[in-house]
Each structure stands twice: as C-alpha cells, then as structure tokens.
C-alpha cells in the first residue's frame, strides 16, 4: 500500500509537469505567431520583387543577406561579386589546404547573388518599358 505522502508527491509532480508543458506550449505558440507576423510584414515590404527574391532564396538555400555575408559584399555589384568570389574560391581550394565545404558555400553564394542581379536587371527593364 502506498503512503499518503508518496501519493501527494506523485500528484504534485504530475501537476508540475502539466504546468511546465502548458507554459512551454504557450511560449511556443506566441513565438510562432510573432514569427508569422514578422514574415508577413517582411514579405509585404518586399512587394513583387521580394517574391522573386524569396523564391531564389528557397532554390539556392541561401538568403540574399547570407550570400552577401559569405562573399563580404555590402552592395550588389557584379565586379565586386566576381572579385571576391575568385579570391575566396582560390583560397578555399582543397589543393592548397582549403575546405571543399567552404568552397561550395562560396559557389552557392555567388549563384544567389547572380540571381539577384538578374532579378534586378529584369525589374529595371520592366520599369523602362512602362
């Protein structure tokens, strides 16, 4: 037979677990709502161009900001992108002790930035036509 004290302790422990799960659940739901609101606000701010840019981010697996950080680019410039790409690609070559993983990140970043330049050029053409 269980002692009343052990039964009380088991009930108390069960209440603590349930309350903890509720707190974590509410925090997760609040964080999810905040993230959803922030994503919606960012998408609205980007407008039509943002949709193409977001699609390019999804395809490449890198956001525009990540790609810029990898290639150390502050402003989208084809010349600066190419210059930094060539340097980082050469430095990370496996034959000179570099990392294939980092080299592949450099390639993906250049692809992402090139796609962004293409999107911007297309938008410029569309603006000039109207």
């Amino acid at each position: 037979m269980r002692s009343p004290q052990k039964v009380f302790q088991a009930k108390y422990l069960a209440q603590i677990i349930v309350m903890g799960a509720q707190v974590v659940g509410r925090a997760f739901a609040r964080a999810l709502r905040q993230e959803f609101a922030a994503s919606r606000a960012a998408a609205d701010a980007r407008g039509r161009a943002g949709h193409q840019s977001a699609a390019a981010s999804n395809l490449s697996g890198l956001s525009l900001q990540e790609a810029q950080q990898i290639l150390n680019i502050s402003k989208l410039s084809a010349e600066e992108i190419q210059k930094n790409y060539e340097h980082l690609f050469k430095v990370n070559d496996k034959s000179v002790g570099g990392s294939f993983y980092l080299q592949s990140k450099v390639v993906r970043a250049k692809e992402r930035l090139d796609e962004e330049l293409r999107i911007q050029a297309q938008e410029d053409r569309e603006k000039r036509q109207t």
Side-chain angles (χ1 to χ4, degrees):
M1 183 174 206
R2 287 183 150 172
S3 72
Q5 188 177 9
K6 287 191 180 197
V7 171
F8 179 73
Q9 288 175 347
K11 284 182 182 180
Y12 187 65
L13 181 61
Q15 287 176 339
I16 290 173
I17 291 171
V18 169
M19 287 175 57
Q22 288 174 341
V23 168
V24 169
R26 278 189 232 125
F28 179 74
R30 188 177 319 122
L32 197 59
R33 281 192 300 273
Q34 288 174 346
E35 182 62 30
F36 182 72
S39 294
R40 172 166 267 155
D44 290 345
R46 285 191 299 263
R48 183 169 118 40
H51 295 298
Q52 288 181 344
S53 184
S57 292
N58 285 339
L59 288 174
S60 69
L62 287 175
S63 70
L64 178 59
Q65 183 181 9
E66 288 173 312
Q68 287 178 306
Q69 287 175 344
I70 290 170
L71 289 183
N72 195 25
I73 303 291
S74 57
K75 205 169 143 185
L76 287 181
S77 157
E79 296 80 22
E80 188 177 2
I81 292 169
Q82 186 64 33
K83 182 182 89 164
N84 289 7
Y85 165 76
E86 288 173 359
H87 170 73
L88 290 170
F89 188 85
K90 189 173 24 170
V91 167
N92 287 298
D93 191 358
K94 198 160 176 103
S95 65
V96 294
S99 165
F100 179 74
Y101 173 77
L102 292 177
Q103 195 177 42
S104 68
K105 281 292 206 183
V106 168
V107 170
R108 297 295 162 253
K110 182 176 185 311
E111 290 173 348
R112 176 64 184 92
L113 293 173
D114 287 345
E115 181 65 18
E116 192 65 28
L117 287 173
R118 187 195 64 74
I119 290 169
Q120 286 183 358
Q122 180 182 359
E123 288 174 358
D124 290 344
R125 282 192 302 273
E126 289 173 0
K127 284 179 185 176
R128 279 187 257 130
Q129 289 176 353
T130 57

